[in-house]
Amino acid sequence: PSSTFPLRGKGEAMQPSGRIAVQPWMGDSRTRRVLDALARDGIGVRFVGATLRDALLGKDVFDIDLAIDHPPEAAMRMLRAA
Protein backbone atom coordinates (compact mmCIF):
# COMPACT_ATOMS: atom_id res chain seq x y z
CA PRO A 1 0.00 0.00 0.00
CA SER A 2 0.96 3.57 -0.63
CA SER A 3 2.25 5.74 2.21
CA THR A 4 -0.38 8.36 1.40
CA PHE A 5 -3.94 8.03 0.23
CA PRO A 6 -5.39 10.96 -1.73
CA LEU A 7 -8.61 11.88 0.04
CA ARG A 8 -8.48 15.65 0.19
CA GLY A 9 -9.15 18.24 -2.43
CA LYS A 10 -6.73 20.81 -3.82
CA GLY A 11 -4.03 18.23 -4.50
CA GLU A 12 -3.36 17.55 -0.81
CA ALA A 13 -2.83 14.00 0.38
CA MET A 14 -4.04 12.80 3.75
CA GLN A 15 -1.33 11.10 5.78
CA PRO A 16 -2.41 7.79 7.28
CA SER A 17 -2.72 7.94 11.04
CA GLY A 18 -1.24 4.49 11.51
CA ARG A 19 -4.51 3.34 13.00
CA ILE A 20 -5.97 1.79 9.87
CA ALA A 21 -4.28 0.16 6.92
CA VAL A 22 -5.37 1.04 3.40
CA GLN A 23 -8.40 -1.15 2.80
CA PRO A 24 -9.54 -2.74 -0.49
CA TRP A 25 -12.81 -0.77 -0.41
CA MET A 26 -10.83 2.48 -0.41
CA GLY A 27 -9.62 1.74 -3.94
CA ASP A 28 -12.89 0.26 -5.19
CA SER A 29 -13.95 1.94 -8.44
CA ARG A 30 -17.26 3.09 -6.91
CA THR A 31 -15.55 4.64 -3.92
CA ARG A 32 -12.90 6.25 -6.14
CA ARG A 33 -15.55 7.78 -8.42
CA VAL A 34 -17.17 9.55 -5.46
CA LEU A 35 -13.85 10.63 -3.93
CA ASP A 36 -12.49 11.84 -7.26
CA ALA A 37 -15.67 13.82 -8.04
CA LEU A 38 -15.50 15.57 -4.67
CA ALA A 39 -11.75 16.18 -4.83
CA ARG A 40 -12.04 17.70 -8.31
CA ASP A 41 -13.86 20.62 -6.73
CA GLY A 42 -11.69 20.87 -3.63
CA ILE A 43 -14.01 19.08 -1.21
CA GLY A 44 -12.03 17.32 1.52
CA VAL A 45 -13.26 13.88 2.52
CA ARG A 46 -12.65 11.52 5.45
CA PHE A 47 -13.95 8.04 6.14
CA VAL A 48 -15.99 8.03 9.37
CA GLY A 49 -18.59 6.15 11.39
CA ALA A 50 -19.39 2.49 10.90
CA THR A 51 -16.95 2.36 8.00
CA LEU A 52 -14.02 2.94 10.34
CA ARG A 53 -15.52 0.90 13.15
CA ASP A 54 -15.95 -2.16 10.95
CA ALA A 55 -12.52 -1.76 9.35
CA LEU A 56 -10.86 -1.50 12.77
CA LEU A 57 -12.73 -4.59 13.95
CA GLY A 58 -11.69 -6.50 10.84
CA LYS A 59 -15.28 -6.80 9.61
CA ASP A 60 -16.36 -6.47 6.02
CA VAL A 61 -17.34 -2.93 5.04
CA PHE A 62 -20.62 -2.85 3.13
CA ASP A 63 -21.28 0.86 2.97
CA ILE A 64 -19.05 3.91 3.15
CA ASP A 65 -19.64 6.77 5.59
CA LEU A 66 -17.96 10.05 4.66
CA ALA A 67 -17.48 13.41 6.33
CA ILE A 68 -16.84 16.40 4.07
CA ASP A 69 -15.55 19.92 4.69
CA HIS A 70 -18.24 21.67 2.61
CA PRO A 71 -22.00 22.03 2.98
CA PRO A 72 -23.92 18.94 1.79
CA GLU A 73 -25.54 20.98 -0.99
CA ALA A 74 -22.14 21.69 -2.53
CA ALA A 75 -21.23 18.01 -2.49
CA MET A 76 -24.55 17.03 -4.06
CA ARG A 77 -24.01 19.56 -6.88
CA MET A 78 -20.54 18.16 -7.55
CA LEU A 79 -21.73 14.57 -7.52
CA ARG A 80 -24.64 15.29 -9.87
CA ALA A 81 -22.27 17.00 -12.29
CA ALA A 82 -19.80 14.08 -12.24
Side-chain angles (χ1 to χ4, degrees):
S2 172
S3 62
T4 62
F5 194 75
L7 298 179
R8 302 179 91 173
K10 302 177 187 171
E12 298 176 32
M14 181 180 291
Q15 298 297 319
S17 67
R19 296 181 188 178
I20 184 172
V22 174
Q23 304 289 308
W25 48 264
M26 291 176 175
D28 181 90
S29 63
R30 297 164 293 181
T31 305
R32 293 300 328 154
R33 278 194 348 240
V34 171
L35 297 177
D36 292 346
L38 294 171
R40 222 179 349 265
D41 292 297
I43 296 177
V45 180
R46 293 183 186 259
F47 296 110
V48 297
T51 302
L52 284 182
R53 180 201 63 216
D54 290 348
L56 289 170
L57 293 173
K59 295 183 176 183
D60 290 335
V61 173
F62 294 101
D63 65 335
I64 308 294
D65 300 316
L66 302 173
I68 58 173
D69 63 0
H70 280 63
E73 299 81 15
M76 293 306 295
R77 276 193 310 274
M78 302 312 145
L79 292 171
R80 281 188 200 107

